[in-house]
Amino acid sequence: MPPTSGPFAVLPEPPYYVVTFASERTDGDNGYGAMAEAMVDLARRQPGFLGVESARGADGFGITNSFWQSEEHIRAWKRVVDHLTAQQRGRRDWYRHYAVRIGVIQRAYDFSQESP
């Protein structure tokens, strides 16, 4: 399983791929929290998975970025049966709107302020 550093995924040197899932939630949990956690756990066990970063605001808008070694790995993840079930429930129960975008990360850098 890829390591994490708090909310940040620890990723290899580029290039690698990102799947950005932006969504607006419906009201109420309706099992969403448990399913979201299960999907992250399942994704971590998939070949080619590199990491995940996710945030959701009080207004229901959220973004999850999952990172992958290749487009083939992303396509394989999309076909995992439990993931397909979660997608169907999402359309029916959890999302008002969502957008999926896939891209290649060519360059990456970060900043971290040292603790005193």
Side-chain angles (χ1 to χ4, degrees):
M1 177 173 11
T4 60
S5 177
F8 291 93
V10 177
L11 298 165
E13 288 297 314
Y16 50 86
Y17 288 77
V18 62
V19 176
T20 298
F21 180 78
S23 63
E24 182 182 7
R25 285 283 320 278
T26 57
D27 295 330
D29 182 77
N30 301 316
Y32 176 83
M35 181 65 84
E37 192 173 308
M39 288 301 100
V40 169
D41 290 342
L42 181 60
R44 284 189 170 115
R45 296 192 304 266
Q46 300 309 303
F49 178 81
L50 299 174
V52 64
E53 298 170 342
S54 188
R56 183 162 304 278
D59 63 355
F61 181 77
I63 296 177
T64 298
N65 294 323
S66 62
F67 302 95
W68 300 85
Q69 289 177 347
S70 72
E71 280 190 278
E72 293 77 24
H73 290 112
I74 293 167
R75 280 193 285 276
W77 166 239
K78 187 166 175 53
R79 292 188 303 265
V80 171
V81 172
D82 289 344
H83 185 216
L84 289 170
T85 300
Q87 291 172 48
Q88 291 167 350
R89 272 214 64 200
R91 285 187 212 90
R92 187 183 70 223
D93 298 331
W94 297 319
Y95 300 117
R96 283 192 175 91
H97 179 216
Y98 69 79
V100 177
R101 298 168 180 108
I102 299 169
V104 179
I105 303 301
Q106 297 289 343
R107 203 167 33 113
Y109 56 91
D110 61 73
F111 166 80
S112 179
Q113 187 174 30
E114 297 298 321
S115 299

Coordinates of all heavy atoms in Angstrom, one line a residue, residues 8-44:
F8 N -1.8 14.3 2.5 CA -1.1 14.3 1.2 C -0.6 12.9 0.8 O 0.0 12.2 1.6 CB 0.1 15.2 1.2 CG -0.2 16.7 1.4 CD1 -0.3 17.3 2.6 CD2 -0.5 17.4 0.2 CE1 -0.6 18.6 2.7 CE2 -0.8 18.8 0.3 CZ -0.9 19.4 1.6
A9 N -0.9 12.5 -0.4 CA -0.3 11.2 -0.9 C 1.2 11.4 -1.2 O 1.6 12.5 -1.6 CB -1.0 10.9 -2.2
V10 N 1.9 10.4 -0.9 CA 3.4 10.4 -1.2 C 3.5 9.7 -2.5 O 3.2 8.5 -2.7 CB 4.2 9.6 -0.1 CG1 5.6 9.6 -0.4 CG2 4.0 10.3 1.3
L11 N 3.9 10.5 -3.5 CA 3.9 10.0 -4.9 C 5.3 9.9 -5.5 O 6.2 10.6 -5.0 CB 3.1 11.0 -5.7 CG 1.6 11.1 -5.3 CD1 0.9 12.3 -5.9 CD2 0.9 9.8 -5.6
P12 N 5.5 9.1 -6.5 CA 6.8 9.0 -7.2 C 7.0 10.2 -8.1 O 6.2 11.1 -8.3 CB 6.6 7.7 -8.1 CG 5.1 7.7 -8.4 CD 4.4 8.3 -7.2
E13 N 8.2 10.2 -8.6 CA 8.5 11.3 -9.6 C 7.6 11.1 -10.8 O 7.3 10.0 -11.2 CB 10.0 11.1 -10.1 CG 11.0 11.6 -9.0 CD 10.9 13.0 -8.6 OE1 10.8 13.9 -9.6 OE2 10.8 13.4 -7.4
P14 N 7.1 12.2 -11.4 CA 6.3 12.1 -12.6 C 7.1 11.5 -13.8 O 8.3 11.5 -13.7 CB 6.0 13.5 -12.9 CG 6.1 14.3 -11.6 CD 7.3 13.5 -10.9
P15 N 6.4 11.0 -14.8 CA 5.0 11.1 -15.0 C 4.2 10.0 -14.3 O 4.6 8.9 -14.1 CB 4.9 11.0 -16.5 CG 6.0 10.1 -16.9 CD 7.1 10.4 -15.9
Y16 N 3.0 10.4 -14.0 CA 1.9 9.5 -13.5 C 0.6 10.1 -13.9 O 0.5 11.2 -14.4 CB 2.1 9.1 -12.0 CG 2.2 10.3 -11.1 CD1 1.1 11.0 -10.6 CD2 3.5 10.7 -10.7 CE1 1.3 12.1 -9.8 CE2 3.6 11.8 -9.9 CZ 2.5 12.5 -9.4 OH 2.7 13.6 -8.6
Y17 N -0.5 9.4 -13.6 CA -1.8 9.9 -14.0 C -2.6 10.3 -12.7 O -2.4 9.7 -11.7 CB -2.6 8.8 -14.7 CG -2.0 8.5 -16.1 CD1 -0.9 7.8 -16.3 CD2 -2.7 9.1 -17.2 CE1 -0.3 7.7 -17.6 CE2 -2.2 8.9 -18.5 CZ -1.0 8.2 -18.7 OH -0.5 8.0 -19.9
V18 N -3.6 11.2 -13.0 CA -4.5 11.6 -11.9 C -5.9 11.5 -12.5 O -6.2 11.8 -13.6 CB -4.3 13.0 -11.4 CG1 -4.4 14.0 -12.6 CG2 -5.1 13.4 -10.3
V19 N -6.8 11.0 -11.6 CA -8.3 11.0 -11.9 C -8.8 12.0 -10.8 O -8.7 11.7 -9.6 CB -8.9 9.6 -11.7 CG1 -10.4 9.7 -11.9 CG2 -8.3 8.6 -12.6
T20 N -9.4 13.1 -11.3 CA -10.0 14.1 -10.5 C -11.5 13.9 -10.5 O -12.1 13.9 -11.6 CB -9.6 15.5 -11.0 OG1 -8.2 15.6 -10.9 CG2 -10.3 16.5 -10.1
F21 N -12.1 13.7 -9.3 CA -13.5 13.5 -9.2 C -14.0 14.6 -8.4 O -13.8 14.7 -7.2 CB -13.8 12.1 -8.5 CG -15.2 11.8 -8.3 CD1 -16.0 11.4 -9.4 CD2 -15.8 11.9 -7.1 CE1 -17.3 11.1 -9.2 CE2 -17.2 11.7 -6.9 CZ -17.9 11.2 -8.0
A22 N -14.7 15.6 -9.0 CA -15.3 16.7 -8.3 C -16.8 16.4 -8.2 O -17.4 15.9 -9.2 CB -15.1 18.0 -9.1
S23 N -17.4 16.6 -7.0 CA -18.8 16.3 -6.9 C -19.5 17.2 -5.9 O -18.9 17.9 -5.1 CB -18.9 14.8 -6.3 OG -18.3 14.8 -5.0
E24 N -20.8 17.3 -6.2 CA -21.7 18.0 -5.3 C -22.7 17.0 -4.7 O -23.4 16.3 -5.4 CB -22.5 19.1 -6.0 CG -23.4 19.9 -5.1 CD -24.2 20.9 -5.9 OE1 -24.2 20.9 -7.2 OE2 -24.9 21.7 -5.3
R25 N -22.7 16.8 -3.4 CA -23.4 15.8 -2.7 C -24.9 16.2 -2.5 O -25.2 17.4 -2.4 CB -22.8 15.6 -1.3 CG -21.6 14.8 -1.2 CD -21.8 13.3 -1.3 NE -22.9 12.8 -0.7 CZ -23.0 12.5 0.6 NH1 -22.0 12.7 1.4 NH2 -24.2 12.1 1.1
T26 N -25.7 15.2 -2.4 CA -27.1 15.4 -1.9 C -27.1 15.5 -0.4 O -26.1 15.3 0.2 CB -28.0 14.2 -2.3 OG1 -27.4 13.0 -1.8 CG2 -28.1 14.0 -3.8
D27 N -28.2 15.8 0.2 CA -28.3 15.9 1.6 C -28.3 14.6 2.3 O -28.8 13.6 1.8 CB -29.6 16.7 2.0 CG -29.6 18.1 1.5 OD1 -28.5 18.7 1.4 OD2 -30.7 18.6 1.2
G28 N -27.7 14.5 3.5 CA -27.7 13.3 4.3 C -26.6 12.4 3.9 O -26.1 12.4 2.8
D29 N -26.2 11.5 4.8 CA -25.1 10.5 4.5 C -25.6 9.4 3.7 O -24.9 9.0 2.7 CB -24.5 10.0 5.8 CG -23.3 9.1 5.6 OD1 -22.3 9.6 5.2 OD2 -23.5 7.9 5.7
N30 N -26.7 8.7 4.0 CA -27.3 7.6 3.3 C -26.3 6.5 3.0 O -26.3 5.9 1.9 CB -27.9 8.1 2.0 CG -29.0 9.1 2.2 OD1 -29.8 8.9 3.1 ND2 -29.0 10.2 1.5
G31 N -25.3 6.3 3.9 CA -24.3 5.3 3.7 C -23.1 5.7 2.9 O -22.2 4.9 2.6
Y32 N -23.0 7.0 2.5 CA -21.9 7.5 1.7 C -20.6 7.4 2.4 O -19.6 6.9 1.8 CB -22.2 9.0 1.4 CG -21.1 9.6 0.6 CD1 -21.0 9.4 -0.8 CD2 -20.1 10.4 1.2 CE1 -19.9 10.0 -1.5 CE2 -19.1 10.9 0.5 CZ -19.0 10.7 -0.8 OH -17.9 11.3 -1.6
G33 N -20.5 7.8 3.6 CA -19.2 7.7 4.4 C -18.6 6.4 4.4 O -17.4 6.2 4.1
A34 N -19.4 5.4 4.7 CA -18.9 4.0 4.7 C -18.4 3.5 3.4 O -17.4 2.9 3.2 CB -19.9 3.1 5.3
M35 N -19.2 3.9 2.3 CA -18.9 3.4 1.0 C -17.6 4.1 0.5 O -16.7 3.5 -0.1 CB -20.0 3.7 0.0 CG -19.7 3.2 -1.4 SD -19.5 1.4 -1.6 CE -21.2 1.0 -1.7
A36 N -17.5 5.4 0.8 CA -16.3 6.2 0.4 C -15.0 5.6 1.0 O -14.0 5.4 0.3 CB -16.4 7.6 0.8
E37 N -15.1 5.2 2.3 CA -14.0 4.6 2.9 C -13.7 3.2 2.3 O -12.5 2.9 2.1 CB -14.3 4.5 4.4 CG -13.1 4.1 5.3 CD -13.5 4.2 6.8 OE1 -14.0 5.2 7.2 OE2 -13.2 3.2 7.4
A38 N -14.7 2.5 2.0 CA -14.5 1.1 1.4 C -13.9 1.3 0.0 O -13.0 0.4 -0.3 CB -15.8 0.4 1.3
M39 N -14.3 2.3 -0.7 CA -13.7 2.4 -2.1 C -12.2 2.8 -2.0 O -11.4 2.3 -2.8 CB -14.5 3.5 -2.9 CG -15.9 3.0 -3.3 SD -15.8 1.5 -4.4 CE -16.2 0.2 -3.2
V40 N -11.9 3.7 -1.1 CA -10.4 4.0 -0.9 C -9.6 2.8 -0.5 O -8.6 2.5 -1.1 CB -10.2 5.2 0.1 CG1 -8.8 5.3 0.5 CG2 -10.8 6.5 -0.5
D41 N -10.2 2.0 0.4 CA -9.5 0.7 0.8 C -9.3 -0.2 -0.4 O -8.3 -0.8 -0.6 CB -10.2 0.0 1.9 CG -10.1 0.8 3.3 OD1 -9.2 1.7 3.4 OD2 -11.0 0.5 4.2
L42 N -10.4 -0.3 -1.2 CA -10.4 -1.2 -2.4 C -9.4 -0.7 -3.4 O -8.6 -1.4 -4.0 CB -11.8 -1.3 -3.0 CG -11.9 -2.2 -4.2 CD1 -11.5 -3.7 -3.8 CD2 -13.4 -2.2 -4.7
A43 N -9.4 0.6 -3.6 CA -8.5 1.2 -4.6 C -7.0 1.0 -4.2 O -6.2 0.7 -5.1 CB -8.7 2.7 -4.8
R44 N -6.7 1.1 -2.9 CA -5.4 0.9 -2.4 C -4.8 -0.5 -2.8 O -3.6 -0.7 -2.8 CB -5.3 1.1 -0.9 CG -5.3 2.5 -0.6 CD -5.0 2.7 0.9 NE -4.8 4.1 1.2 CZ -5.5 4.9 2.0 NH1 -6.6 4.4 2.6 NH2 -5.3 6.2 2.1

